[in-house]
Amino acid sequence: MPASMRPSTCCRADRAQSRRLRKLIAAGAQLRPFLNEIMDACLKATNELWAEISAKNGDFSASSPRSRRSATTEYFWWQVAEYGFNTFMIRSRTRG
């Protein structure tokens, strides 16, 4: 496994990003989610790029449907388990 994919490396990167984010917020940065229009445009561009790559690369073309099915299954898990829990934890922070 490449060093960049090891759990310990990922955890260190997450902690570093969290520290940097807190530093930005402390300095007055305002964080806002991307607009839906931007996210829609990004998804459209991604799908177009994947279609272009699939047309040129048989291996990518063969693996793409499996990857998308897998992602769809994972989204169900995120929607049921992770999203609900994360939303709860975010709300609970404001209650003290």
Side-chain angles (χ1 to χ4, degrees), residues 63-91:
S63 68
S64 186
R66 287 191 305 270
S67 296
R68 288 183 186 208
R69 279 193 305 273
S70 177
T72 299
T73 302
E74 290 174 25
Y75 290 140
F76 286 133
W77 169 255
W78 280 91
Q79 182 179 0
V80 171
E82 303 292 337
Y83 178 75
F85 177 74
N86 289 338
T87 302
F88 169 79
M89 292 303 291
I90 290 167
R91 285 193 322 262

Side-chain angles (χ1 to χ4, degrees), residues 89-96:
M89 292 303 291
I90 290 167
R91 285 193 322 262
S92 71
R93 286 184 29 210
T94 62
R95 292 192 299 246

Side-chain angles (χ1 to χ4, degrees), residues 2 21 27 35 37 45-46 52 54 59 61 70 79 87 92 96:
L21 187 57
L35 298 173
E37 293 82 6
T46 297
E52 181 182 322
S54 289
D59 291 335
S61 180
S70 177
Q79 182 179 0
T87 302
S92 71

